[in-house]
Amino acid sequence: MSDALTQLEADIRADLARIAHPGAAWLEPKTGPDGKPALDVLIVGAGQSGVAIGFGLMRSRVGNILLLDKAEEGMEGPWRTYARMPTLRSPKDYTGPDLDIPSLTYQSWHEARFGEASWQQLGLILREHWAEYLLWLRRTIGLPVRNGCELQEIAPAADGLLAARVKRADAIEVLYARKIVLATGQEGMGGWMIPEQLRDLPAGSVATVADEIDFESLRGKRVAVIGAGASAFDNAATALEAGAAEVHLLCRRAQIQVIQPYRWLTFRGFLRHLSDLDDAWRWRFMRTILEMREGFPQATYDRCARHTNFTLHEGAPLEATRQTAGGVELQTPRGVVTADFVICGTGIDMNFAARGELSNFAGNIATWADCYQPPDNERNARLGRFPYLADDYAFTERVPGKTPWISDIHLFAIASTMSFGPSGSSINAMTTAVPKLVHGLTRGLFRADVARHWATLNAYDVPQAVVTRPARTMEERR
């Protein structure tokens, strides 16, 4: 470790000590059915969101927490797996998991690691460096994390607790917690979409942008990418750079989307207060933004366009497919594209029942379609399938009273978007979204213990001062 990084960590400890007020512990752990103290909060996911949430809770004196992640240490999130862009797309000066502590920002880490001149010359953050920074951050602030742990089921337990069934290697463990946060990123409430026209093709010829793809095996092959968002372009570029003979990118729009609505919404008012609006306004804003879909940066497009064997097909939604001896024929209004391998960059769809950890209550998770009926010209069935969350990011019930315990399960993921805007998946929203979630968690924990707090107030008898009263003589009393 460099001297600069060692000094930075010392500065961080000093910073956190200065803002530690109030330092008093205020939670008493409950005892689980196994006789052990239950967790106050279990966070599922130790990527950038999980780290920020854990840090926010620790700053609020909620230290009886645990983060789980199914990936091995250092492989959390997409940065070293299916993220196939060289750099983050966010500007380098966007802050996030540091929660407004200057010494914990990426800039501070980068300058300590590579020097101030390197920061000044930096255009965008390398994704490998972002992954390294997140791992350093969690170690520096001392977050308790268990890797290689996969959540399999959530169920109610005695005394208002939740039981989380977790698989680690070949062993099953049940963890008890007062609250559970699902910081599960992109696919936490469903899965990556494969268009219906492709579902009957051989498994080896179709993948999603989140799958592990052997791009070297595509050398000399014809590749088709369905979708025209940034991830679709990243995968097209990776195939081209691996030596694919042809890469065709199919865009359903007549003209490709080049506007990035997430740049418009990056201001405090929207990020902090969208969720305070009524349902009509929330739906109107997020439907417009999500129907536009995310645009892509110039460098992402140029990475593909520099290859003469790259073809962009606009106005070419997929209509039908046919497997032939010569490959997969993709029928579009602009003609047929033939490919040896197809990559789907068509996004995420909500499918609660497909998530094993949600199986005990998937049918009673309220969706936006359950809670709000937009005007006919604003309807969108896909967005209506998003979960309708309470103001603390908790699940709400479709049938009240059937599964009341799900109000202690909080979702901070891409599926939170319809209720809160970009929150559980965007660096630019963390400094407003994470404090809102942490406030909701601590509010719930405090309210659940209000009788105990009342009792301790009434029993509180610690004197603030000692008052001495000198004895007076008989003459002084007269």
Side-chain angles (χ1 to χ4, degrees):
M1 184 183 295
S2 69
D3 291 343
L5 206 54
T6 301
Q7 182 59 52
L8 176 61
E9 292 176 4
D11 293 343
I12 289 166
R13 287 190 290 272
D15 285 348
L16 295 179
R18 288 189 183 102
I19 59 171
H21 173 78
W26 60 281
L27 287 163
E28 291 182 0
K30 290 188 175 182
T31 301
D34 56 0
K36 301 176 183 177
L39 296 163
D40 290 321
V41 183
L42 174 65
I43 301 169
V44 182
Q48 62 185 22
S49 293
V51 167
I53 295 162
F55 181 39
L57 286 168
M58 290 175 69
R59 290 189 63 196
S60 296
R61 298 298 171 264
V62 182
N64 180 25
I65 64 174
L66 179 65
L67 283 71
L68 303 179
D69 202 288
K70 63 183 179 181
E72 295 305 314
E73 184 174 304
M75 300 299 290
E76 302 86 355
W79 313 113
R80 289 189 167 116
T81 53
Y82 64 83
R84 294 179 176 125
M85 67 288 202
T87 66
L88 272 61
R89 289 186 249 278
S90 302
K92 68 178 184 179
D93 57 355
Y94 277 14
T95 58
D98 52 87
L99 299 186
D100 290 333
I101 306 297
S103 55
L104 283 171
T105 59
Y106 176 84
Q107 178 178 351
S108 293
W109 176 83
H110 188 100
E111 289 179 348
R113 181 87 161 73
F114 304 107
E116 292 184 16
S118 173
W119 171 258
Q120 295 300 325
Q121 296 164 6
L122 182 68
L124 293 169
I125 298 169
L126 292 175
R127 59 181 173 84
E128 293 88 354
H129 286 172
W130 183 253
E132 186 181 344
Y133 159 71
L134 291 174
L135 192 57
W136 169 84
L137 178 61
R138 100 179 198 198
R139 289 172 176 168
T140 300
I141 60 182
L143 283 178
V145 181
R146 288 187 200 169
N147 286 94
C149 294
E150 185 171 3
L151 176 65
Q152 296 195 319
E153 181 185 65
I154 303 174
D159 198 22
L161 295 173
L162 297 169
R165 188 170 180 266
V166 175
K167 182 180 180 182
R168 189 177 192 183
D170 294 327
I172 298 293
E173 180 182 10
V174 177
L175 300 173
Y176 296 97
R178 298 179 64 176
K179 287 186 172 291
I180 293 178
V181 178
L182 301 176
T184 41
Q186 294 282 338
E187 64 268 29
M189 294 299 292
W192 295 87
M193 289 187 288
I194 294 180
E196 188 175 348
Q197 300 93 327
L198 296 169
R199 292 175 191 168
D200 293 332
L201 294 177
S205 61
V206 180
T208 73
V209 292
D211 289 330
E212 186 175 338
I213 299 173
D214 180 4
F215 282 93
E216 287 301 316
S217 71
L218 301 181
R219 182 178 297 277
K221 302 288 182 66
R222 299 163 298 178
V223 177
V225 179
I226 313 298
S231 293
F233 272 96
D234 290 336
N235 279 262
T238 305
L240 289 162
E241 291 159 2
E246 303 172 11
V247 174
H248 299 266
L249 191 142
L250 276 57
C251 171
R252 63 181 173 82
R253 297 174 186 269
Q255 290 187 319
I256 200 162
Q257 163 73 9
V258 295
I259 306 299
Q260 171 54 291
Y262 276 52
R263 290 296 178 92
W264 171 85
L265 60 75
T266 304
F267 60 94
R268 289 278 180 170
F270 187 90
L271 294 174
R272 183 172 289 168
H273 298 298
L274 171 74
S275 60
D276 299 330
L277 300 177
D278 63 25
D279 289 351
W281 271 116
R282 288 196 289 171
W283 178 270
R284 189 172 299 143
F285 271 114
M286 293 316 302
R287 182 189 68 87
T288 299
I289 290 166
L290 293 177
E291 284 185 350
M292 287 176 70
R293 298 293 180 100
E294 286 192 64
F296 49 87
Q298 186 67 51
T300 300
Y301 174 75
D302 292 345
R303 190 179 165 203
C304 292
R306 68 170 60 101
H307 297 267
T308 57
N309 53 339
F310 171 71
T311 305
L312 168 62
H313 302 265
E314 294 174 293
L318 183 62
E319 296 178 324
T321 61
R322 188 165 70 97
Q323 180 75 55
T324 71
V328 178
E329 292 186 351
L330 307 171
Q331 180 67 51
T332 80
R334 306 295 295 271
V336 174
V337 172
T338 304
D340 302 301
F341 192 76
V342 182
I343 301 173
C344 301
T346 43
I348 300 279
D349 199 8
M350 301 297 110
N351 185 1
F352 310 154
R355 307 294 304 183
E357 66 271 29
L358 309 180
S359 58
N360 281 323
F361 57 97
N364 203 41
I365 297 173
T367 66
W368 268 83
D370 295 322
C371 300
Y372 175 67
Q373 294 301 315
D376 289 344
N377 65 336
E378 292 183 10
R379 293 187 184 277
N380 183 309
R382 181 178 72 88
L383 300 183
R385 292 192 289 273
F386 276 63
Y388 185 94
L389 303 177
D391 67 352
D392 58 356
Y393 289 82
F395 289 124
T396 57
E397 295 182 275
R398 174 176 282 146
V399 179
K402 187 177 179 181
T403 55
W405 47 276
I406 69 174
S407 64
D408 284 321
I409 305 173
H410 306 254
L411 179 68
F412 196 82
I414 191 72
S416 310
T417 302
M418 283 304 298
S419 296
F420 288 91
S423 50
S425 59
S426 300
I427 296 169
N428 62 338
M430 277 191 190
T431 53
T432 55
V434 171
K436 186 184 288 285
L437 170 63
V438 169
H439 173 82
L441 291 167
T442 56
R443 182 183 65 191
L445 291 168
F446 175 78
R447 285 180 175 176
D449 285 353
V450 69
R452 180 177 65 82
H453 293 308
W454 174 247
T456 59
L457 169 61
N458 283 284
Y460 186 75
D461 60 357
V462 179
Q464 184 77 3
V466 177
V467 178
T468 59
R469 296 177 177 85
R472 291 186 295 168
T473 66
M474 290 294 292
E475 288 77 11
E476 290 173 327
R477 293 175 187 168
R478 291 176 183 167

